Amino acid sequence: MADARGMSRRQVGLGALALGGGLAFASLPADPAAAAAPSRGGGRPALRHGSAREAGLLPGPLRQLVTDAEAFLQPSPEHPWYAGAVLLAGRGRTVALHRPIGMAVRYQAYDEETDTGVEFPPDQQIPMAEDTVFDLASVSKLFTSILAVQQIERGRIELEAPVASYLPDFGRAGKQDVTIRQLLTHTSGFRAWIPLYEAPTYEEKVRRVYDEEPASPPGTAYLYSDLNLISLQLVLEHVTGRRLDVLLREEITEPLGMRRTRYNPPASWKPKIAATEDARKPWSGLDRGLVWGEVHDENAYSLGGVAGHAGVFSDAWDLAVLARTLLDGGVCGRRRILRPESVELMFTDFNTAFPGDEHGLGFELYQHWYMGAMATPRTAGHTGFTGTALVLDPTTDSFLVVLGNSVHPVRGWRSGSAPRVAAANQLARAVPVRPARGRTAWFSGMASAATATLALPALDTSSGAARLSCALWWDTEPKADVLVLESSADGGTTWEPVPFTTRRRGGSAEPHPTGTATGWSGRVWHDLTADLPAAPGLVVRWRYTTDRLYVGRGAYVDGLRVESGHRRLFDESRPADATRLRAEGWSQEED
């Protein structure tokens, strides 16, 4: 479902950020690696479990990822964000973290008078397991999008074609020019959500979609809407003659061996499914009691459990297989579900006219509100209302799955996306940044609402020819978090920015006239030079400031040197000079 009716997904992400018995189940494969193997044609499994080192990751941040996630099992700040979760993180073909925490089934009801959950007896509660299956909610949209891109490859759908060219009745109420691309990028003009479950028949639900008038002219605004993917479902079913659940099975899950991914899981799966909400009015659109083993989203439920915007159930390993397939250009073992150029389109921003709402075909891009420090212009992902998230970073070849039952026992207990952000920050932190020179480099840290400074000792630059040089690496939340090079000629009473120039290895020079760096720099080292003001006791420092919400991967500085003509005023490589650096919030990291 839309994460909040009438609110953008970014607005939802700006909510509160405060951190605050097993049953036998034989119908699913016991070995998760078996699910990664192609169902036909042989080939190696796409994934394997391994250590952090084998994945090229630092073990400490992965341990902290689990610690951070467990904190959200406690009041954060008033109620647990989720009853439990399954966390999976990897890089390359190695899953370095696969950890269940908390409970898959804990509450049998919600008591609205006391705002408490009514727990099952202890012997009826079910802990999370690595293979617990979750209602993915809006993460389902990714599967619908992949199916659409497959049909674009096959020529049955054209990306820029009007939806009405496939479904003439869709063109009613001013939607005649809405295109397939606009459905995939949420620029069709549809409002976020309408209560289709109030319509008595399937035909009436479809008619309400066809009769819906755009809230804004198509292509003029971004507005996240479930109706886009419901409409895309109708197109897919029309051009293929197959139901969406059949398409999912035949075109994605069977080829990739994703045996725990489907719509409408059978009753035999229920003991391995995480429960969701005690669904009752007024907080739910329908009175259903505890929803467990059936889709949570009211509209998807009313559509028989099969919908383009919600309804897919899956587990963490299967989603990791999908992530690895996309990071590998659409192939898993010997089975290909997409061409590389099609995957590229899913990771390419089509919403350049709407900064802050970057979107590929189906995938959201560069969204710090849940991707945290993993966010780059090519980082792709999606979240689900039930507490789910999938994030893929092609830049570092890493992937993150966070599956939580955050509407258990009621949707009002959680706010914002803090657990997703915390997990993504730690996985980003686990990807090491190799020093540009030698064995160590200065690191700014990744704390929110913080200021970190790295200052050189006072230097005599009165000759007027002093130049600073170093290697610089930065990736920050654009505009909100800023790295500044500044100097003081009065012992630190006042500071002035120092303009500098950076050059990416093999690239052209980029001026920074305001003495600042922010946003995305490619996550590679840049050579930096800066002419320093003339003063008998000049102090030069780096100052990194972050706001209270989100952070990027931070900043690194290496090989600081100041020269004046042929004289070397400061050289970090000299032990005596290195000890004169004053660091507050910065630390030295080894290779």
Side-chain angles (χ1 to χ4, degrees), residues 247-269:
L247 285 169
L248 175 70
R249 183 180 71 249
E250 294 181 350
E251 303 291 351
I252 299 178
T253 62
E254 282 189 354
L256 298 184
M258 297 171 62
R259 294 171 55 194
R260 293 186 289 257
T261 304
R262 59 169 294 163
Y263 287 101
N264 287 328
S268 61
W269 284 33

Side-chain angles (χ1 to χ4, degrees), residues 547-568:
D547 69 0
R548 68 179 184 84
L549 291 177
Y550 316 115
V551 296
R553 182 59 176 81
Y556 287 80
V557 173
D558 196 9
L560 285 162
R561 179 181 299 174
V562 178
E563 296 176 308
S564 180
H566 296 295
R567 291 189 306 125
R568 189 164 297 179

Side-chain angles (χ1 to χ4, degrees), residues 142 323 327 363 367 370-372 374-375 379-383 389-393 398-402 420 424 427:
L142 299 181
L327 288 170
F363 277 87
Q367 297 299 309
Y370 70 90
M371 297 175 180
M374 288 183 71
T379 302
H382 216 286
T383 65
L390 173 66
V391 182
L392 320 178
D393 179 14
S398 59
F399 49 92
L400 173 69
V401 180
V402 177
R420 298 163 175 148
L427 179 54

